[in-house]
Every structure is written in structure tokens, then in C-alpha cells.
Amino acid sequence: MAANEDIESRGAAKNRGGGNHHPPASSTPYYFETSERQWTSWIIPMFVVANVAVFIVTMFINNCPRKHDQTNGRCVVRFLGRFSFQPLRENPLLGPSSATLQKLGALAWYQVVHGGQGWRLITCIWLHAGVVHLLANMFSLVFIGIRLEQQFGFVRIGVIYLLSGFGGSVLSSLFIQNSISVGASGALFGLLGAMLSELITNWTIYANKAAALITLIVIIVINLAVGILPHVDNFAHIGGFLTGFLLGFILLVRPQFGWMERHNLPSAGRAPSKHKAYQYALWLVAVVLLVAGFVVGLVMLFRGVNGNDHCHWCHYLTCVPTSRWRCGS
């Protein structure tokens, strides 16, 4: 979501794609196997509750009526008392100040690298810049995450969500070093990436393969394209997507339909699973790339490397200047 320049000038949080997701639940292809086990979804609802709870605590600590400098305007929805929002010219997303977000764990390169606060790579995933940002991300999480959890269980989807959020934070820190960043959309893009790799590695058990692939790619491209708007942290999106894409090859592999049919087994059968050679190859490549990516990324980050020094065009991935807006520092 775009914020005005007044937020940017104060080092405001870069919104990690708050209202720009197009939940792909209805477009997810169907499996041939109708007897597939359906898990009960509880980790995704728990994540939603946790994000909402953190936002409420954030607004309680923010306490706009008491801590806000009135020179920037009056608090919004003042009848909420200490839960009222910062003035719209400071935060148009109906949320706290950037100072409060930074205090509670927003991603800030200097604090991570020079302040020994690596925990911000995780805490920023649970913070949101405002009500608009929070609602957009949580609706996307419900549409994307619940169906995935029903198919693959809470452990695998929980791991993909958390590691993708972490991967998004790492890539964001390498390229965005002069403002703070918050939001769960790196984790959400990880789930989208995992959906794509799951479709690829389990190709033989899908119906309408081409339509499913094209639909999913279009959804991903649209979401990533929106990230080139100013004040949107598209590096968190890209880092989360790549992490989830690799994790999908590792964690979401299924027995192939032809083998299950020959052995008269449902896809949730307890017999040893049978996979094709290309699935093993994709699993191995994904493991190597994921480990290497995290090691290289973290080493570069804590050495204080600026990714823009090694990729002079990469800044266009998060903001493309036009006649209607400029890309702030």
C-alpha cells in the first residue's frame, strides 16, 4: 500500500504488500484423488489471531493522544482513546507511528547489523503499519493458507510461513537500508511460491495442468508487479516467494497418482510413498539452493553488505519511478 511522503521522510515502515493480494483459493486445481485426507486447519487461524493481537498491543503502546505531536494534525478516531490512530498525513493506513513500530521490532538494517538485533528479522513479520495493511494481509492469509493447511497439515505450512517470512526479511535488509519495514506479506508470498512448486513437483496428479499453472503464474505476477509501487517492500515479497518456492519442492512432495492407482491406495495411505526421479532431483536441488541462499544472505547481511552495490538495477524491483510518483530514498 502506498503511504505519503511525510511517512517516508520519518523513516516510516515500508508496507509489505498490504492490500495487493489476490487470494488464489478458488483457482487452485483439483486433485484426481477424492479420498485425500483433509487436515483440520488451526495454525493459520492461530497466526491470524496472533497478528491481530500484536496490532492491538501496538496501538495500546502507541497511545496517540498522549504521545503524538499535534503539529502534524489530530489523532484519527479519537473516541478510541489510546487506541486511536496517527494523523492520516503521517500514516494513511490507520495505524501507529513509525517510532512505535521501530520500538516493537520493525525491520531496521542498522539495528540488525550494528546493534546486534537480529531478532528483528522475525519480529517484523508480526507487525503491521495499520488496519488497512493488517486486514488485507489477514484476508489473504485465510484464503491462501487454510486450504494449503487442510491439504498438507499444520507442520509443513507453519514451517513454510515462518521461513518464508524470515527469507523475505533477509533479502529486504540487503537492499533496503534507510527505512524500516513491517508486514506478513513475505510469508504470504512464500505460501504462493510453495503452491507453484507443489504444482510442478506433483504434476502428474493434477487435472487441467496448463490452466492451473497459467492461473497461478498470473496471480503471482500481478502481486509482484504491484510491488513496484512506492513504499511497498517488494524485496520482502521476492525473498519470501523464492524461499517458499524452494520449500515447496522439499516439504510438499506427494506420491504420484499413477503409482497410487496401481497399488489401489488413497493419497493419504500409510504405505511407503513412491516418487518419480524428477521429484528426488528437484528436492535435492531445492535443499542445496535454500541452504546456500540463507548462508550467503546472512553472511552478506551481517558483514554490512549493501546489495545495491552489486546489483545496480535491482532497486527497480521495488519501485519504478513514473511521472505520477518518485521513488524516495
Side-chain angles (χ1 to χ4, degrees), residues 16 100-108 111-113 115-127 165-166 169 173 181 298 301-302:
R16 296 183 171 198
T100 299
L101 291 171
Q102 188 162 357
K103 176 182 178 181
L104 294 180
L107 184 59
Q111 281 82 356
V112 170
V113 176
Q117 299 178 9
W119 46 267
R120 290 179 179 270
L121 295 168
I122 296 295
T123 55
C124 66
I125 302 170
W126 305 96
L127 294 168
F166 180 74
S169 296
S173 297
S181 180
L298 289 171
L301 173 60
F302 287 104

Side-chain angles (χ1 to χ4, degrees), residues 19-324:
N20 304 316
H21 297 290
H22 300 266
S26 61
S27 61
T28 303
Y30 295 100
Y31 291 97
F32 285 106
E33 287 287 343
T34 58
S35 57
E36 179 181 355
R37 174 182 177 182
Q38 291 290 303
W39 297 75
T40 299
S41 176
W42 66 268
I43 194 71
I44 294 299
M46 189 180 75
F47 284 158
V48 172
V49 171
N51 277 281
V52 172
V54 169
F55 183 76
I56 293 173
V57 171
T58 301
M59 294 308 304
F60 180 83
I61 295 174
N62 186 68
N63 196 2
C64 179
R66 183 173 180 178
K67 300 179 180 180
H68 170 60
D69 182 1
Q70 297 295 328
T71 58
N72 288 326
R74 305 173 69 179
C75 299
V76 179
V77 196
R78 287 179 296 161
F79 67 84
L80 293 177
R82 67 183 300 149
F83 292 97
S84 58
F85 310 118
Q86 295 297 116
L88 292 179
R89 67 171 61 182
E90 181 180 348
N91 187 344
L93 300 177
L94 300 177
S97 66
S98 59
T100 299
L101 291 171
Q102 188 162 357
K103 176 182 178 181
L104 294 180
L107 184 59
W109 175 83
Y110 188 87
Q111 281 82 356
V112 170
V113 176
H114 299 289
Q117 299 178 9
W119 46 267
R120 290 179 179 270
L121 295 168
I122 296 295
T123 55
C124 66
I125 302 170
W126 305 96
L127 294 168
H128 286 83
V131 172
V132 176
H133 189 196
L134 175 69
L135 290 179
N137 274 349
M138 293 305 99
F139 277 122
S140 296
L141 177 57
V142 168
F143 278 111
I144 298 172
I146 286 183
R147 179 154 187 171
L148 281 174
E149 186 181 356
Q150 288 174 342
Q151 292 177 350
F152 296 101
F154 70 92
V155 174
R156 286 181 281 185
I157 300 308
V159 169
I160 292 173
Y161 181 89
L162 295 174
L163 284 182
S164 296
F166 180 74
S169 296
V170 171
L171 190 64
S172 175
S173 297
L174 286 172
F175 287 93
I176 300 177
Q177 302 184 353
N178 51 10
S179 62
I180 65 174
S181 180
V182 295
S185 58
L188 292 172
F189 270 81
L191 295 180
L192 280 173
M195 289 176 67
L196 179 59
S197 56
E198 190 271 330
L199 171 61
I200 295 172
T201 194
N202 300 320
W203 186 254
T204 64
I205 66 175
Y206 274 91
N208 302 319
K209 298 176 177 63
L213 181 62
I214 292 173
T215 299
L216 191 53
I217 289 177
V218 168
I219 291 170
I220 292 169
V221 169
I222 290 175
N223 279 275
L224 288 174
V226 173
I228 65 176
L229 294 172
H231 312 289
V232 178
D233 185 357
N234 211 26
F235 285 115
H237 297 174
I238 296 170
F241 174 81
L242 292 176
T243 303
F245 182 70
L246 294 176
L247 284 170
F249 290 120
I250 299 169
L251 298 178
L252 304 186
V253 181
R254 295 174 182 266
Q256 293 304 282
F257 176 72
W259 184 85
M260 292 184 295
E261 185 182 47
R262 288 194 302 271
H263 291 76
N264 195 28
L265 291 172
S267 58
R270 296 185 179 275
S273 61
K274 183 70 173 180
H275 303 99
K276 293 185 177 295
Y278 79 87
Q279 290 181 299
Y280 290 111
L282 289 173
W283 184 93
L284 180 60
V285 171
V287 169
V288 172
L289 290 178
L290 185 66
V291 173
F294 272 122
V295 170
V296 172
L298 289 171
V299 169
M300 291 178 63
L301 173 60
F302 287 104
R303 285 184 175 178
V305 175
N306 187 334
N308 295 290
D309 294 337
H310 301 276
C311 181
H312 299 292
W313 57 267
C314 284
H315 63 278
Y316 290 116
L317 294 175
T318 195
C319 182
V320 176
T322 70
S323 59
R324 293 183 176 273

